[in-house]
Structures are given as structure tokens and as C-alpha cells.
Amino acid sequence: MATADKVDPVHQFIVNDLIPLGRVADMKLAFQNSSLFMFVAVALIIGFLLIGTRARKLVPGRMQSVVEMLYEFMAGTVRQVLGEEGMKFFPFVFSLFTFILALNLLGMVPYFFTVTSQIVVTASLALLVIFTVIIVGFVKNGIGFVKLFVPHGVPMVLLPLISLIEIISFFARPVSLSLRLFGNMLAGHIVLKVFAGFIGTLGAFGFFGVLGAIAPFLMTIAITALEFLVAFLQAFVFAVLTCVYLKDALHPHH
Amino acid sequence: MAETPQQGELSEALEQQAHGQHGDVFPPFDQTHFASQILWLAISFGLLYYLVSKVALPRVAGILEDRHDRIAWDLSEAERLKQESDDAVAAYEKALAEARDKAHAIARESHSRISAEVAAKRHDVEAGLAAKLATAEQRIGTIKADALAQVGDIASEATGAIVSTLVETEVSKDEIDGAVSAALAR
């Protein structure tokens, strides 16, 4: 069973119930391994932010510099996309970015669970973003928010078609937002596991097997490096796209 | 669906078994754990958002703002000090220029005063010298006149003595005087 686990690249995505909490309205509730890692991520982020800034030094130390860099990096991104009035969404975007980044990076630790490889998690986050956009859009612009679907300067003949396309593209956003993160994390971890599995399988075939295992071993190293990049990049992409969608909510006119 | 508790437990057990084998369902698409995942995601992300927006980010923003304020204050302080030193330099140069002007004025004034004094003194001296020269010339004139007046007497005496030595006769003084004055007049 142990060897079967090792070569099975999908095993790592299984959600286990750590503490069953019973049923509510025909739904099984439990504290799961994914739940545990969500809270580990929250604890890491808050711990990092608070420990890094505990000295409140005028001239920052190493850790405080990193915290400030993270802050200014995200603040710069939000300000660049949304402008000064969009800074009230900065905590939201910052939370999304750090949360996804922490979950992605936690997933890189061997035997740790990758929460962002669960479609339900990425879809929930994407829906949270899109509902925020819709609510902010209507609160801020009233019914004028539907102008988002009516591009300026389009001939009347084409308007129904264009509006239909705009509406479809708007509702495709949460789908692409969730699938991008989910797909990247899932595929990356499967590939990593497959190549790592080759090492063990080939290594079992004696001397030449060990020799042949060098290739997948180097591949695993390379993919691991790539996955660290993807972990950061996907978190950043998610945050930036959130900013871009929020910009539509603030300024629905194209 | 009306389930008896036993049936529920049974189906749960079957689910767990299916979990262990995950034969038919790809784990991320296994819907049995969706509700829990969403629940814990909402709780954990809500907690993160609350702590980030209420505690962590204001703290970092506070630090950055303090530094920004401090730098701005330092810059304005430096600007103020620079302004002060510029003012001091300007004041110093103004004082220097004033002092130089004053010195020039004093030099010019004393120069003209001294040259006036010198001119006056020279004038006095020249006047004194001219007066002395005049008296001296006057004295020379009188002395010369006296001397010229005495020339006749001396000539008469010398004539009398020469005549008495040459002709050994006594010529009267009146005759000699007459001859001498006649000769002088010539």
C-alpha cells in the first residue's frame, strides 16, 4: 500500500476528515487536512506580519524590510491599477495575495496538503471576488453599473451582440480565475509527483536503474524550482486580476 | 431523501471507503467535502482579512508613515538650516561690503584732509620763506648801500695815503673827497 501511495500522483489531493463535526442539513461537516492548512497559512501570514513589525524600527531590520517590501509591492500594484480611491480594497487584495501565496508555498513542502489544488477553494475565492465586484459596482454606480456591458461608441446594430459577448466574458471571469489557479497547482503537483515517482521506480532496477533515475531526478529539481515560481506567479496573477475586475466596478465606462 | 440514522452511517462509511480508494471520483471533484472546505475557507479567510485589515496593515502603514514624516521633517529641517546659513552668509557679505565702503570713505576723507593740511602748511612755510627772503634782500640792500657809502671814505683815505706817499705833500681832505667822488661819479 505504501508503494502504491508513492506512485499514485492523485493521492496527495485527497481530503481527509481530521475531526468529524457531524451533519448539517444533509451535508457532512468536518475539520479536514485542508482546513488545518488554511489556518496554518493564516497563522504564518499574521505571525510574519506582526513579528516582522514588532520593533517598529525607523530603520528596518531584515524581517521588517521584507514585510515593508511586501506591503509596498502590493500597495503599488493596487494603486497602479485602481488609483488612490481603490486603496480601500487594498486589505482585501493583500489578504487574497498572501493567503494564496502562503497556501501555494505550503503545498511545496513535502507531505503538506495543497489547499489551492482544490477546485472548491479556488472557485469560492473567485466567486468572492466577483460578488465583491458586483456589489461594489451597484453600490457605487447604481444601475449605471450595467453600462459595463454596453461599450461606448458601438453601432446600434452591433450593440446586442457586443453586449451579449460582454456579459458572457464577465461571467467567464470567475471560471477562468478559479480554473487558472486550480489547474496550475494541480498540474504542477501531479507532474512533480510523477517525476519523483520515476526516481523510486527506476531506482528499484539495480545499478542501471539508479543511473537512469538521474534524469527524472534532475527534472524533479527543475520542476520544483518552476513550481516555486508558479506559486508566486499565480498568487500575483489572482491579486492583479482582482484589481482589474474591481476597476470595472469603480469605473464601468470603458 | 428520508434516511434512517443507520443508513446515514452506512452511507458515510461507504463514502469513507470510497475516499480511501478514490477509485471513481477524482479527489478535487469529490463533492462530499465541499461544504466543509467552503465553511473553513470562509472562517479562515475571514479571520485573515479581519486581522490583516485591522491589525497588520495599519501597523505597517503606521511605520511607513512615521518614516515618511520623519524624512519629510528632516528634509524641511535641512532646508531651514540651509536657509539660515545662506542668510548668515548674505549678512556677512553685506557687512563686509559695508565695512569696505566705510574704510574707503575714511581713507578718501583722511587723504583729502591731510592733503589740504599739507597744502596749507606749505603755503604758510612758503609765505614765511618769502617774508624772510624779502627781509634778507632788504638787509643785503642796506648793507650794500652802506658798503657803497663807505667805499668813498675808504677810497679817499687810500687816495690821501697814496698821494702823501707819492708826492710827500699833504693834500687837504676836502680836495681828495672831491676828486674821489668825481671819479666815482664817472
Side-chain angles (χ1 to χ4, degrees):
Chain A
M1 192 67 202
T3 48
D5 278 355
K6 249 182 186 164
V7 294
D8 180 3
V10 182
H11 182 79
Q12 58 180 322
F13 303 116
I14 292 174
V15 179
N16 293 316
D17 295 351
L18 299 180
I19 308 167
L21 297 174
R23 285 176 168 276
V24 176
D26 208 30
M27 286 184 300
K28 181 168 65 80
L29 290 183
F31 190 83
Q32 300 151 317
N33 50 355
S34 71
S35 327
L36 175 67
F37 279 99
M38 289 176 198
F39 283 103
V40 169
V42 171
L44 278 179
I45 296 163
I46 296 300
F48 172 66
L49 291 176
L50 293 190
I51 291 169
T53 56
R54 74 186 185 287
R56 293 165 175 272
K57 270 185 260 172
L58 199 64
V59 177
R62 220 173 305 172
M63 204 157 159
Q64 195 182 322
S65 292
V66 178
V67 172
E68 286 174 11
M69 238 157 65
L70 184 67
Y71 179 97
E72 298 205 310
F73 172 65
M74 279 321 288
T77 307
V78 173
R79 196 173 285 127
Q80 208 181 339
V81 179
L82 289 175
E84 206 55 52
E85 57 167 336
M87 285 310 277
K88 58 178 176 290
F89 297 112
F90 173 54
F92 179 59
V93 178
F94 187 88
S95 303
L96 272 178
F97 175 71
T98 50
F99 192 56
I100 295 171
L101 181 64
L103 291 177
N104 288 354
L105 290 177
L106 276 174
M108 291 307 295
V109 180
Y111 296 105
F112 277 25
F113 188 78
T114 315
V115 181
T116 40
S117 68
Q118 297 296 314
I119 181 90
V120 61
V121 172
T122 62
S124 300
L125 288 174
L127 284 174
L128 176 65
V129 168
I130 235 65
F131 280 130
T132 308
V133 168
I134 292 172
I135 291 168
V136 169
F138 276 115
V139 167
K140 200 128 174 86
N141 306 289
I143 200 71
F145 181 57
V146 296
K147 279 182 190 156
L148 179 64
F149 307 118
V150 187
H152 193 69
V154 172
M156 275 310 262
V157 191
L158 285 175
L159 206 55
L161 183 66
I162 298 286
S163 294
L164 185 68
I165 292 171
E166 288 283 343
I167 289 167
I168 291 171
S169 86
F170 183 83
F171 286 103
R173 283 171 177 183
V175 178
S176 70
L177 199 57
S178 55
L179 284 184
R180 185 181 301 109
L181 179 59
F182 165 69
N184 268 286
M185 298 319 291
L186 184 84
H189 280 79
I190 288 177
V191 170
L192 201 54
K193 190 85 177 189
V194 166
F195 275 100
F198 281 164
I199 303 173
T201 317
L202 281 172
F205 291 119
F207 175 73
F208 290 104
V210 172
L211 214 60
I214 290 173
F217 179 66
L218 292 177
M219 204 61 195
T220 306
I221 294 172
I223 291 172
T224 304
L226 180 73
E227 279 308 297
F228 273 107
L229 178 71
V230 169
F232 174 81
L233 211 60
Q234 287 306 316
F236 182 61
V237 165
F238 201 99
V240 168
L241 285 176
T242 301
C243 289
V244 171
Y245 298 159
L246 281 169
K247 193 185 172 203
D248 282 345
L250 292 177
H251 308 286
H253 315 279
H254 278 272
Chain B
M1 198 194 285
E3 262 183 345
T4 61
Q6 282 89 350
Q7 273 175 323
E9 271 167 30
L10 184 66
S11 66
E12 202 169 315
L14 284 172
E15 275 171 13
Q16 288 290 351
Q17 202 183 354
H19 249 153
Q21 294 169 343
H22 62 86
D24 38 349
V25 192
F26 185 54
F29 298 146
D30 182 3
Q31 292 183 17
T32 53
H33 57 69
F34 277 14
S36 305
Q37 295 238 55
I38 293 171
L39 172 71
W40 292 112
L41 176 67
I43 294 172
S44 59
F45 188 73
L47 180 70
L48 176 71
Y49 179 76
Y50 177 79
L51 290 176
V52 159
S53 60
K54 290 278 178 278
V55 185
L57 290 186
R59 204 155 128 174
V60 181
I63 292 171
L64 293 176
E65 203 167 312
D66 283 355
R67 179 172 318 142
H68 184 264
D69 289 352
R70 176 65 191 272
I71 289 170
W73 189 83
D74 281 359
L75 279 177
S76 71
E77 184 69 6
E79 184 64 28
R80 193 181 64 77
L81 290 174
K82 186 178 175 293
Q83 190 59 46
E84 261 177 23
S85 69
D86 282 356
D87 288 352
V89 167
Y92 162 76
E93 279 181 350
K94 192 162 160 264
L96 194 67
E98 268 173 13
R100 198 179 285 132
D101 285 354
K102 217 177 198 174
H104 279 156
I106 287 168
R108 214 177 306 117
E109 193 242 351
S110 51
H111 180 260
S112 61
R113 185 168 50 79
I114 287 166
S115 55
E117 266 173 23
V118 166
K121 269 196 180 141
R122 199 177 56 209
H123 194 261
D124 286 355
V125 169
E126 277 175 355
L129 283 176
K132 274 184 184 160
L133 201 63
T135 42
E137 274 173 356
Q138 211 179 348
R139 255 181 69 198
I140 289 167
T142 36
I143 289 168
K144 198 173 158 190
D146 284 358
L148 281 172
Q150 282 171 8
V151 164
D153 290 351
I154 292 166
S156 301
E157 271 174 35
T159 309
I162 291 164
V163 168
S164 62
T165 311
L166 285 173
V167 292
E168 291 185 1
T169 50
E170 278 299 315
V171 182
S172 73
K173 199 174 176 318
D174 289 343
E175 271 180 284
I176 293 165
D177 280 350
V180 165
S181 51
L184 281 173
R186 237 188 351 248

